[in-house]
Amino acid sequence: MKNILNKVNSLRPKILTLLASLLLLPIACTDLEEEVFSEVTESSFVPSESDIISVMASAYTPMRFVMGWQGYFDLQEEPGDMFVTPTRPNGWDDGGTYKRMHFHEWTETQWQPRNTWITCFNGINSANRVILQVESGELPVSEEQASAIISEMRALRALYYSMLVDTHGNVPIIASYSDELPVQSPRAEVYNFIVSELTEVIPNLTEVVDQSTYGRMTKWAAYHVLARVYLNAEVYTGTAQWDNVIDACDEIISSGAFELSSNYSDIFSTENQGNPEMVFAIPYDQIFAGDWNAHMKMLLPDHRLVFDMQAQPWGGSSCNPQFIDSYDTNDKRLADTWLMGDQLNASDGSVVMTLRKEMPSIYDCEFTDGFRCGKYEIESGATAGLSVDFPFLRYTDVLMMKAEALLRTNRADEAATIVTQVRLRSFEDPAEATVTGTELEGDTTVEYGTLAEDGTIDQPGDQSAVPYGRFLDELGWEFAAEARRRSDMIRFGVYQTKNWYNHTPQGDYTILFPIGLEELNTNTNLSQNPGY
């Protein structure tokens, strides 16, 4: 396996004792005293680099829930204006869970938010346990190693908190391994904790970008998380931090450690571990780390024939036609992201089925209604788990975060230069890839409003212009199906105000998810988020 996530998850004392064989002497002359040739006891054990990585792996492993069943991907995409999971002939009502996500009518028992809460705190607790092992001397390492391990675990812990501050906001800050019931902190305090932690540990993190640090928190990954948190600071705290976004992004850009992938689809290929965009990847392997099953929900059962798969997909989610219609037809990201039209048999080229863009209603769709996500490579022989590493933090995001901060600080032409740079690989004609600052400052091209069954706008809802809406479109086209649409829509004020597909806005309180009922019942220090 490619990285830290495939190693064992805990360290055990290694005692290697070789006993002398009993000498078969004549009767009445047997010497039963053992002769020890070599011995490594717990007190004398000096861990190797692989041992240390094995210890830290337990804190990274929970990240694989991102593309797992009703994981972080679902939490960020199902409430947005891109992905919809309607009822189909084979089911998919699932007790109304996906409808609640689409309508923003989730409850405190909704699994997707609870899964994120539980899994992120699992990762936080594992990071804290590793830190305790080092600080207590249970893991005997040098002072230099101790500093490096603790800094990396604190950076990883901050990454988990960056997810929680976005989804649940008011969460406990657990900075040590303890059995005590944690006390809840306000969202702004959680934000400050993340910024403080990352700022403090960044100087101690490695700058090395190679196989040894793949899938781990390097200095550049920490700067990337810091930039993302700064990007959303106005949402989290009420105070924008655009200059800090630019500074953090410039640290990564000036490092020269990353560059744009020349081919967009290469970022999402099975062998993408060497892609130059990977700042922080979540590694998967269909045999050894098969948690990735989001593709099973995205594809139809008959896609098994199209991709020569071993597993048969389940055929759930598809793309809102309003988002599809926003693309420039010459933008190659449209075909690189979505499966559209005739789907051909891998063995003989015959048409297996034809996908249509239209989706009459979330309450009743046919199998082939709606374009499906084909962004992540489906290798021949694919099973229910993919081996595509998920690009959780990639270099294009660094460029686009800087561009957005420039745009919002009256430097629209500088922002347009960066956005054009990103767009160039997805258009044959450079002139079509070029955008201006004025365009980026303009309204969104998505035609918002709820849809009638014939696809026309039924309830227009709020039709006011979206400030910098065209830039929001650029984020959508570039980062479609990358577990972030909800966060982007909130930042641009669309998530809580606009109608789309069958969704109408429910109010500002839906920006945060509810804290799970079970979590509230087991920790009396927690209070439910407002509105629930």
PDB file of all heavy atoms in Angstrom, residues 55-70:
ATOM      1  N   VAL A  55       2.407   3.784  14.708  1.00  0.00           N
ATOM      2  CA  VAL A  55       1.705   4.389  15.834  1.00  0.00           C
ATOM      3  C   VAL A  55       0.818   5.531  15.351  1.00  0.00           C
ATOM      4  O   VAL A  55      -0.361   5.640  15.725  1.00  0.00           O
ATOM      5  CB  VAL A  55       2.715   4.917  16.879  1.00  0.00           C
ATOM      6  CG1 VAL A  55       1.993   5.694  17.968  1.00  0.00           C
ATOM      7  CG2 VAL A  55       3.491   3.766  17.482  1.00  0.00           C
ATOM      8  N   MET A  56       1.353   6.395  14.506  1.00  0.00           N
ATOM      9  CA  MET A  56       0.603   7.558  14.038  1.00  0.00           C
ATOM     10  C   MET A  56      -0.531   7.179  13.104  1.00  0.00           C
ATOM     11  O   MET A  56      -1.506   7.931  12.950  1.00  0.00           O
ATOM     12  CB  MET A  56       1.550   8.549  13.346  1.00  0.00           C
ATOM     13  CG  MET A  56       2.567   9.184  14.280  1.00  0.00           C
ATOM     14  SD  MET A  56       3.460  10.553  13.503  1.00  0.00           S
ATOM     15  CE  MET A  56       4.432   9.673  12.275  1.00  0.00           C
ATOM     16  N   ALA A  57      -0.447   6.010  12.476  1.00  0.00           N
ATOM     17  CA  ALA A  57      -1.448   5.602  11.487  1.00  0.00           C
ATOM     18  C   ALA A  57      -2.854   5.570  12.063  1.00  0.00           C
ATOM     19  O   ALA A  57      -3.823   5.868  11.365  1.00  0.00           O
ATOM     20  CB  ALA A  57      -1.078   4.233  10.921  1.00  0.00           C
ATOM     21  N   SER A  58      -2.986   5.227  13.345  1.00  0.00           N
ATOM     22  CA  SER A  58      -4.317   5.139  13.950  1.00  0.00           C
ATOM     23  C   SER A  58      -5.051   6.467  13.907  1.00  0.00           C
ATOM     24  O   SER A  58      -6.286   6.504  13.874  1.00  0.00           O
ATOM     25  CB  SER A  58      -4.198   4.662  15.399  1.00  0.00           C
ATOM     26  OG  SER A  58      -3.474   5.599  16.181  1.00  0.00           O
ATOM     27  N   ALA A  59      -4.310   7.556  13.907  1.00  0.00           N
ATOM     28  CA  ALA A  59      -4.933   8.874  13.871  1.00  0.00           C
ATOM     29  C   ALA A  59      -5.330   9.284  12.459  1.00  0.00           C
ATOM     30  O   ALA A  59      -6.225  10.120  12.279  1.00  0.00           O
ATOM     31  CB  ALA A  59      -3.983   9.918  14.473  1.00  0.00           C
ATOM     32  N   TYR A  60      -4.668   8.715  11.459  1.00  0.00           N
ATOM     33  CA  TYR A  60      -4.993   9.034  10.065  1.00  0.00           C
ATOM     34  C   TYR A  60      -6.125   8.168   9.513  1.00  0.00           C
ATOM     35  O   TYR A  60      -6.900   8.614   8.665  1.00  0.00           O
ATOM     36  CB  TYR A  60      -3.762   8.851   9.182  1.00  0.00           C
ATOM     37  CG  TYR A  60      -2.766   9.981   9.244  1.00  0.00           C
ATOM     38  CD1 TYR A  60      -1.640   9.908  10.068  1.00  0.00           C
ATOM     39  CD2 TYR A  60      -2.936  11.120   8.476  1.00  0.00           C
ATOM     40  CE1 TYR A  60      -0.715  10.939  10.133  1.00  0.00           C
ATOM     41  CE2 TYR A  60      -2.015  12.160   8.515  1.00  0.00           C
ATOM     42  CZ  TYR A  60      -0.906  12.060   9.341  1.00  0.00           C
ATOM     43  OH  TYR A  60       0.000  13.091   9.383  1.00  0.00           O
ATOM     44  N   THR A  61      -6.221   6.943   9.976  1.00  0.00           N
ATOM     45  CA  THR A  61      -7.169   5.993   9.415  1.00  0.00           C
ATOM     46  C   THR A  61      -8.611   6.503   9.373  1.00  0.00           C
ATOM     47  O   THR A  61      -9.315   6.266   8.387  1.00  0.00           O
ATOM     48  CB  THR A  61      -7.101   4.659  10.193  1.00  0.00           C
ATOM     49  OG1 THR A  61      -5.774   4.137  10.102  1.00  0.00           O
ATOM     50  CG2 THR A  61      -8.073   3.647   9.612  1.00  0.00           C
ATOM     51  N   PRO A  62      -9.110   7.201  10.396  1.00  0.00           N
ATOM     52  CA  PRO A  62     -10.503   7.680  10.331  1.00  0.00           C
ATOM     53  C   PRO A  62     -10.802   8.576   9.134  1.00  0.00           C
ATOM     54  O   PRO A  62     -11.968   8.691   8.736  1.00  0.00           O
ATOM     55  CB  PRO A  62     -10.673   8.448  11.648  1.00  0.00           C
ATOM     56  CG  PRO A  62      -9.711   7.794  12.589  1.00  0.00           C
ATOM     57  CD  PRO A  62      -8.518   7.460  11.738  1.00  0.00           C
ATOM     58  N   MET A  63      -9.778   9.202   8.542  1.00  0.00           N
ATOM     59  CA  MET A  63     -10.019  10.079   7.400  1.00  0.00           C
ATOM     60  C   MET A  63     -10.659   9.338   6.235  1.00  0.00           C
ATOM     61  O   MET A  63     -11.282   9.955   5.363  1.00  0.00           O
ATOM     62  CB  MET A  63      -8.699  10.717   6.935  1.00  0.00           C
ATOM     63  CG  MET A  63      -8.164  11.820   7.822  1.00  0.00           C
ATOM     64  SD  MET A  63      -9.269  13.259   7.966  1.00  0.00           S
ATOM     65  CE  MET A  63      -9.285  13.860   6.295  1.00  0.00           C
ATOM     66  N   ARG A  64     -10.542   8.025   6.219  1.00  0.00           N
ATOM     67  CA  ARG A  64     -11.097   7.273   5.088  1.00  0.00           C
ATOM     68  C   ARG A  64     -12.622   7.296   5.058  1.00  0.00           C
ATOM     69  O   ARG A  64     -13.215   6.889   4.055  1.00  0.00           O
ATOM     70  CB  ARG A  64     -10.585   5.831   5.123  1.00  0.00           C
ATOM     71  CG  ARG A  64      -9.090   5.704   4.893  1.00  0.00           C
ATOM     72  CD  ARG A  64      -8.720   4.344   4.307  1.00  0.00           C
ATOM     73  NE  ARG A  64      -9.044   3.247   5.190  1.00  0.00           N
ATOM     74  CZ  ARG A  64      -8.155   2.569   5.920  1.00  0.00           C
ATOM     75  NH1 ARG A  64      -6.875   2.920   5.882  1.00  0.00           N
ATOM     76  NH2 ARG A  64      -8.520   1.562   6.686  1.00  0.00           N
ATOM     77  N   PHE A  65     -13.254   7.805   6.121  1.00  0.00           N
ATOM     78  CA  PHE A  65     -14.717   7.894   6.099  1.00  0.00           C
ATOM     79  C   PHE A  65     -15.208   8.924   5.090  1.00  0.00           C
ATOM     80  O   PHE A  65     -16.397   8.937   4.736  1.00  0.00           O
ATOM     81  CB  PHE A  65     -15.232   8.241   7.506  1.00  0.00           C
ATOM     82  CG  PHE A  65     -15.478   9.713   7.752  1.00  0.00           C
ATOM     83  CD1 PHE A  65     -16.770  10.223   7.805  1.00  0.00           C
ATOM     84  CD2 PHE A  65     -14.415  10.588   7.944  1.00  0.00           C
ATOM     85  CE1 PHE A  65     -16.998  11.574   8.052  1.00  0.00           C
ATOM     86  CE2 PHE A  65     -14.629  11.931   8.192  1.00  0.00           C
ATOM     87  CZ  PHE A  65     -15.936  12.435   8.241  1.00  0.00           C
ATOM     88  N   VAL A  66     -14.325   9.799   4.622  1.00  0.00           N
ATOM     89  CA  VAL A  66     -14.720  10.881   3.714  1.00  0.00           C
ATOM     90  C   VAL A  66     -15.500  10.351   2.515  1.00  0.00           C
ATOM     91  O   VAL A  66     -16.556  10.881   2.146  1.00  0.00           O
ATOM     92  CB  VAL A  66     -13.487  11.686   3.253  1.00  0.00           C
ATOM     93  CG1 VAL A  66     -13.841  12.610   2.088  1.00  0.00           C
ATOM     94  CG2 VAL A  66     -12.940  12.513   4.418  1.00  0.00           C
ATOM     95  N   MET A  67     -14.996   9.277   1.884  1.00  0.00           N
ATOM     96  CA  MET A  67     -15.679   8.724   0.714  1.00  0.00           C
ATOM     97  C   MET A  67     -16.396   7.416   1.034  1.00  0.00           C
ATOM     98  O   MET A  67     -16.731   6.639   0.136  1.00  0.00           O
ATOM     99  CB  MET A  67     -14.678   8.525  -0.429  1.00  0.00           C
ATOM    100  CG  MET A  67     -14.066   9.806  -0.942  1.00  0.00           C
ATOM    101  SD  MET A  67     -15.284  11.012  -1.539  1.00  0.00           S
ATOM    102  CE  MET A  67     -15.715  10.319  -3.127  1.00  0.00           C
ATOM    103  N   GLY A  68     -16.633   7.182   2.303  1.00  0.00           N
ATOM    104  CA  GLY A  68     -17.345   5.992   2.735  1.00  0.00           C
ATOM    105  C   GLY A  68     -18.849   6.206   2.761  1.00  0.00           C
ATOM    106  O   GLY A  68     -19.368   7.273   2.401  1.00  0.00           O
ATOM    107  N   TRP A  69     -19.570   5.194   3.216  1.00  0.00           N
ATOM    108  CA  TRP A  69     -21.028   5.218   3.220  1.00  0.00           C
ATOM    109  C   TRP A  69     -21.556   6.340   4.110  1.00  0.00           C
ATOM    110  O   TRP A  69     -21.259   6.413   5.288  1.00  0.00           O
ATOM    111  CB  TRP A  69     -21.563   3.868   3.695  1.00  0.00           C
ATOM    112  CG  TRP A  69     -23.063   3.824   3.761  1.00  0.00           C
ATOM    113  CD1 TRP A  69     -23.817   3.752   4.887  1.00  0.00           C
ATOM    114  CD2 TRP A  69     -23.973   3.885   2.669  1.00  0.00           C
ATOM    115  NE1 TRP A  69     -25.155   3.748   4.565  1.00  0.00           N
ATOM    116  CE2 TRP A  69     -25.284   3.831   3.202  1.00  0.00           C
ATOM    117  CE3 TRP A  69     -23.814   3.983   1.281  1.00  0.00           C
ATOM    118  CZ2 TRP A  69     -26.423   3.855   2.402  1.00  0.00           C
ATOM    119  CZ3 TRP A  69     -24.952   4.015   0.482  1.00  0.00           C
ATOM    120  CH2 TRP A  69     -26.232   3.952   1.046  1.00  0.00           C
ATOM    121  N   GLN A  70     -22.327   7.257   3.511  1.00  0.00           N
ATOM    122  CA  GLN A  70     -22.887   8.414   4.199  1.00  0.00           C
ATOM    123  C   GLN A  70     -21.826   9.141   5.017  1.00  0.00           C
ATOM    124  O   GLN A  70     -22.055   9.571   6.152  1.00  0.00           O
ATOM    125  CB  GLN A  70     -24.081   7.999   5.074  1.00  0.00           C
ATOM    126  CG  GLN A  70     -25.249   7.490   4.243  1.00  0.00           C
ATOM    127  CD  GLN A  70     -26.535   7.344   5.023  1.00  0.00           C
ATOM    128  OE1 GLN A  70     -26.564   7.442   6.247  1.00  0.00           O
ATOM    129  NE2 GLN A  70     -27.629   7.106   4.322  1.00  0.00           N
TER     130      GLN A  70
END
